[in-house]
């Protein structure tokens, strides 16, 4: 059996960390604790045990309950602001000593399991922009709850690192809410709703003060501590994340089908399909998502033409690519470039 990933029912969250902070914030906001924990499978006594863990499914239920009872629509955004300080101190030290915006995002991508196990980051960069795409590592259920939390946390990180948060555009897959005040307060006014992906487009505007404060030795020591923690806790990729990394290495080089992926995970095709269904997905969804992420990265950051992108993705012709791209994103490649880069 392949043990290089965790599944939705595997216990990966320490209850005295993320769940404890979310519960404390909820209580302060006047949310009834019994309503918050109802149906989550989490009990107050669990929080006091530093070794107690819960699964991704239970964490999702707790988030769902918090969002359901949060009349101000600010709780998860406030929780996001706390996220950099909940995770391991060595990771925060590495991020504080990043040598600029791109390096900070690279560290965040490489150590996402320490930062927030439910989501992983796909990063594409050039000299002017960084395109940070957020993807669920194990399940697509209510993904917007995780993504808005993560976006709020990255803004908090930028502030802590003295990196200007101006020039950031947020892409949310949800429609514009009736009251967008909370999102505008925590994320700013540059929010693109009904986007094809959850992502942040960040201008490379790291200031000289941040670079002057950067300590390479402290960052390297902190990253070594992070590596040791990953090994000690045997932290792994989520199932969907592991599948994404497998696909992203192959879709530009060879045809990849369900059977070959099942073989990679050392399970039967039928079991592979059942596992994907358990994670609210299918093989075609994951294949399309991988191609969509690559296509957007190539078009927006790589500045490739539709013809070049189609060729890279091994799609037979440009017309077929344009049809596929519109099915993935709801817009044509040229419109995506115009709307997303010039929003």
């Amino acid at each position: 059996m392949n043990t290089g990933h965790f599944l939705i029912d595997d216990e990966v969250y320490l209850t005295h960390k993320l769940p404890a902070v979310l519960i404390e914030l909820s209580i302060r906001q006047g949310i009834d604790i019994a309503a918050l924990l109802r149906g989550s499978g989490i009990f107050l006594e669990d929080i006091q045990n530093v070794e107690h863990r819960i699964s991704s499914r239970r964490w999702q239920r707790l988030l769902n309950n918090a969002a359901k009872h949060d009349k101000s629509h600010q709780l998860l955004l406030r929780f996001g602001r706390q996220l950099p300080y909940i995770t391991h101190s060595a990771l925060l030290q590495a991020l504080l000593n990043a040598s600029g915006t791109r390096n900070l995002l690279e560290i965040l991508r490489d150590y996402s399991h320490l930062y927030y196990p439910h989501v992983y980051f796909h990063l594409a960069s050039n000299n002017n922009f960084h395109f940070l795409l957020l993807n669920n590592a194990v399940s697509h259920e209510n993904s917007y709850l995780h993504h808005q939390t993560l976006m709020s946390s990255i803004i908090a990180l930028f502030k802590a690192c003295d990196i200007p948060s101006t020039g950031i555009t947020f892409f949310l897959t949800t429609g514009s809410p009736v009251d967008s005040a909370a999102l505008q307060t925590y994320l700013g006014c540059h929010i693109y709703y009904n986007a094809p992906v959850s992502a942040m487009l960040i201008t490379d505007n790291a200031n000289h003060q941040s670079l002057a404060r950067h300590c390479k030795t402290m960052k390297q020591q902190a990253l070594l501590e992070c590596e040791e923690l990953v090994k000690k806790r045997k932290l792994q990729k989520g199932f969907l994340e592991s599948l994404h990394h497998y696909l992203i290495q192959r879709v530009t080089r060879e045809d990849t089908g369900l059977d070959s992926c099942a073989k990679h995970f050392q399970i039967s095709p039928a079991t592979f399909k059942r596992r994907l269904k358990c994670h609210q997905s299918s093989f075609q969804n994951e294949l399309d998502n991988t191609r969509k992420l690559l296509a957007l990265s190539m078009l927006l950051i790589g500045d490739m033409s539709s013809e070049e992108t189609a060729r890279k993705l091994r799609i037979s012709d440009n017309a077929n690519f344009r049809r596929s791209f519109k099915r993935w994103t709801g817009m044509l490649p040229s419109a995506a470039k115009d709307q997303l880069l010039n929003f």
Side-chain angles (χ1 to χ4, degrees):
M1 179 179 177
N2 190 304
T3 57
H5 59 273
F6 68 87
L7 304 175
I8 192 168
D9 287 316
D10 290 340
E11 296 175 343
V12 294
Y13 289 90
L14 290 164
T15 50
H16 76 288
K17 287 201 169 184
L18 303 185
V21 173
L22 181 59
I23 289 169
E24 178 63 27
L25 286 172
S26 301
I27 292 172
R28 289 182 191 173
Q29 199 157 307
I31 297 176
D32 179 65
I33 189 66
L36 182 67
L37 297 180
R38 187 173 296 124
S40 68
I42 304 170
F43 302 92
L44 280 179
E45 53 266 30
D46 298 334
I47 308 300
Q48 301 169 357
N49 182 353
V50 295
E51 297 299 325
H52 190 271
R53 294 170 182 261
I54 61 169
S55 67
S56 294
R57 194 186 298 274
R58 289 184 176 181
W59 173 241
Q60 180 70 59
R61 289 170 181 166
L62 184 65
L63 282 182
N64 291 346
N65 286 348
K68 179 181 177 183
H69 293 92
D70 175 29
K71 293 181 173 58
S72 69
H73 305 293
Q74 295 185 36
L75 177 59
L76 296 184
L77 295 167
R78 288 176 179 167
F79 173 68
R81 284 189 174 179
Q82 298 296 315
L83 193 55
Y85 308 99
I86 304 169
T87 52
H88 196 262
S89 58
L91 177 59
L92 181 59
Q93 191 64 243
L95 293 165
L96 289 172
N97 285 282
S99 56
T101 306
R102 180 172 186 165
N103 187 226
L104 183 149
L105 296 174
E106 288 171 340
I107 295 171
L108 202 59
R109 174 199 63 194
D110 295 342
Y111 293 95
S112 60
H113 312 106
L114 286 173
Y115 193 75
Y116 193 80
H118 209 110
V119 173
Y120 68 95
F121 304 98
H122 178 86
L123 177 64
S125 295
N126 60 25
N127 291 332
N128 301 312
F129 293 102
H130 309 289
F131 196 44
L132 188 70
L133 297 103
L134 282 62
N135 308 271
N136 278 27
V138 284
S139 171
H140 292 307
E141 181 185 358
N142 291 345
S143 58
Y144 72 95
L145 299 178
H146 303 284
H147 298 167
Q148 290 181 19
T149 296
L150 265 292
M151 289 178 181
S152 178
S153 78
I154 293 171
I155 291 296
L157 266 178
F158 277 19
K159 184 176 181 180
C161 296
D162 292 329
I163 295 176
S165 58
T166 54
I168 299 180
T169 301
F170 299 90
F171 299 98
L172 302 179
T173 55
T174 55
S176 176
V178 175
D179 184 1
S180 61
L183 286 171
Q184 291 176 353
T185 297
Y186 286 85
L187 302 184
C189 59
H190 299 290
I191 303 175
Y192 186 106
Y193 297 102
N194 294 310
V197 288
S198 293
M200 300 169 67
L201 187 66
I202 305 164
T203 55
D204 190 59
N205 57 358
N207 59 14
H208 296 292
Q209 180 183 359
S210 172
L211 295 175
R213 260 184 28 175
H214 159 67
C215 178
K216 186 176 180 179
T217 303
M218 290 182 68
K219 182 181 74 174
Q220 289 175 337
Q221 181 58 41
L223 290 176
L224 285 174
E225 290 183 40
C226 290
E227 288 286 352
E228 288 300 315
L229 188 62
V230 168
K231 292 177 183 176
K232 181 180 178 181
R233 291 189 182 173
K234 298 180 180 179
L235 298 178
Q236 300 172 326
K237 299 180 178 71
F239 171 61
L240 297 183
E241 178 185 3
S242 185
L243 175 57
H244 167 79
H245 284 289
Y246 176 78
L247 289 172
I248 211 166
Q249 293 171 7
R250 284 162 175 76
V251 294
T252 58
R253 295 190 288 110
E254 60 191 47
D255 292 330
T256 305
L258 186 148
D259 288 353
S260 63
C261 287
K263 184 177 180 180
H264 169 74
F265 282 93
Q266 301 178 28
I267 54 180
S268 70
T271 300
F272 184 61
K273 286 193 285 188
R274 284 195 298 270
R275 185 172 293 182
L276 283 167
K277 186 176 181 181
C278 182
H279 289 256
Q280 291 82 43
S281 191
S282 67
F283 177 72
Q284 190 61 53
N285 284 344
E286 294 308 312
L287 185 59
D288 285 348
N289 186 54
T290 301
R291 287 173 169 160
K292 177 175 68 176
L293 297 185
L294 287 172
L296 285 167
S297 299
M298 292 173 188
L299 288 166
L300 302 183
I301 300 300
D303 198 28
M304 291 185 182
S305 66
S306 294
E307 291 81 2
E308 291 174 308
T309 305
R311 188 165 56 251
K312 278 278 190 180
L313 293 177
R314 295 170 54 83
I315 295 176
S316 57
D317 57 66
N318 190 43
N320 191 20
F321 169 69
R322 285 160 57 86
R323 285 193 296 270
S324 297
F325 189 87
K326 188 169 185 180
R327 176 167 57 84
W328 301 334
T329 66
M331 60 183 77
L332 292 170
S334 56
K337 266 192 170 184
D338 182 58
Q339 293 181 35
L340 301 184
L341 285 180
N342 300 309
F343 174 70

